[in-house]
Amino acid sequence: MSDRSVSRQKQEKQWYTVMAPEQFDRAELGETPADEPEQLYDRTIETTLGELEDTASENNTKLTFRITDIGSDAAYTEFIEHELTRDYLRSLVRRGSSKVEAFETILTSDDYRIQIQPVAFTTKKADHSQERAIRKAMSRLVRETAREHTFADVVDSVVEGRLSSAIYNEAKTIYPLRRVEIQKLTLEARPEEVAEEEAAAVNVDEEDVELDDE
């Protein structure tokens, strides 16, 4: 391929400014090129909370967005994941203390299916019953928060640290805690996807009943 052909291909690419969702104040996430706008759909963009808020102390929080809509020169996204860096989580581990994790997959009040993974770090080594009680409290608070709030509200609660603070304030009564974090929040399915899955499950159940009746 000639240098002229390569140069022409590069000129044909259009650059799009990638924008965060409205709940992140439509902040610019960067730029991405594409030959055709359709190529941008479902492309993911990763940044840090520190970059969004221009705060270096928040660079241990990774945020991932997925492109869902295209304008003339901009690409618009939805939030799909919040995750703490491995280095930061390792820095919280102390010898002679306990690390207690929980994993909850739950529907929000507006039917988004999400997974939330809280983690608690104790001041000293807790016994198994205390760890179990801490895990139970974390799971309950996560479920209650998701069921009573919209997806956007849950994301705000995690990003702003309100959910981890609520867990800390309750679980510290079980055993002294040094810190609680939400190590990961993931969007697993949108409401329309959840509805499709439920409809498919109902259809399968109905087929089973018909077979049993034969």
Side-chain angles (χ1 to χ4, degrees), residues 42-59:
D42 291 329
R43 188 176 294 182
T44 58
I45 307 296
E46 185 178 291
T47 187
T48 68
L49 184 59
E51 289 173 340
L52 276 186
E53 298 183 346
D54 195 23
T55 306
S57 61
E58 298 291 351
N59 282 335

Side-chain angles (χ1 to χ4, degrees), residues 6 14 58 69 86 88 116 120 130 154 167 188:
V6 172
Q14 180 175 343
E58 298 291 351
D69 194 19
R86 293 181 180 178
Y88 175 67
I116 302 181
Q130 291 164 332
V154 174
I167 293 172
E188 293 197 342

Side-chain angles (χ1 to χ4, degrees), residues 5-16 31-37 39-40 43 72-73:
S5 297
V6 172
S7 177
R8 187 180 298 115
Q9 281 190 351
K10 288 183 177 179
Q11 290 175 0
E12 289 173 352
K13 284 184 181 293
Q14 180 175 343
W15 285 83
Y16 295 81
E31 293 186 322
T32 188
D35 295 317
E36 299 291 340
Q39 296 175 345
L40 296 175
R43 188 176 294 182
S72 59
D73 59 358

Side-chain angles (χ1 to χ4, degrees), residues 13-14 22-23 129-130 187:
K13 284 184 181 293
Q14 180 175 343
E22 187 174 347
Q23 71 180 115
S129 63
Q130 291 164 332
L187 170 62

Side-chain angles (χ1 to χ4, degrees), residues 88-95 97 99 121 178:
Y88 175 67
L89 288 171
R90 278 198 294 265
S91 74
L92 297 177
V93 177
R94 298 285 187 275
R95 183 176 299 178
S97 65
K99 175 184 177 183
F121 300 88
R178 184 163 39 83

Side-chain angles (χ1 to χ4, degrees), residues 136-201:
K136 184 177 180 180
M138 290 197 298
S139 294
R140 178 176 55 77
L141 284 169
V142 164
R143 290 195 301 270
E144 290 176 354
T145 298
R147 288 170 179 163
E148 296 171 4
H149 295 83
T150 65
F151 173 62
D153 287 340
V154 174
V155 172
D156 285 342
S157 179
V158 170
V159 171
E160 296 170 5
R162 297 196 306 273
L163 180 55
S164 55
S165 293
I167 293 172
Y168 175 86
N169 288 332
E170 178 154 338
K172 71 178 182 180
T173 63
I174 300 168
Y175 192 84
L177 299 180
R178 184 163 39 83
R179 196 168 186 85
V180 171
E181 296 278 8
I182 305 300
Q183 59 182 333
K184 195 171 185 178
L185 162 63
T186 305
L187 170 62
E188 293 197 342
R190 306 180 188 92
E192 59 271 21
E193 295 167 332
V194 171
E196 289 175 3
E197 291 173 3
E198 292 177 347

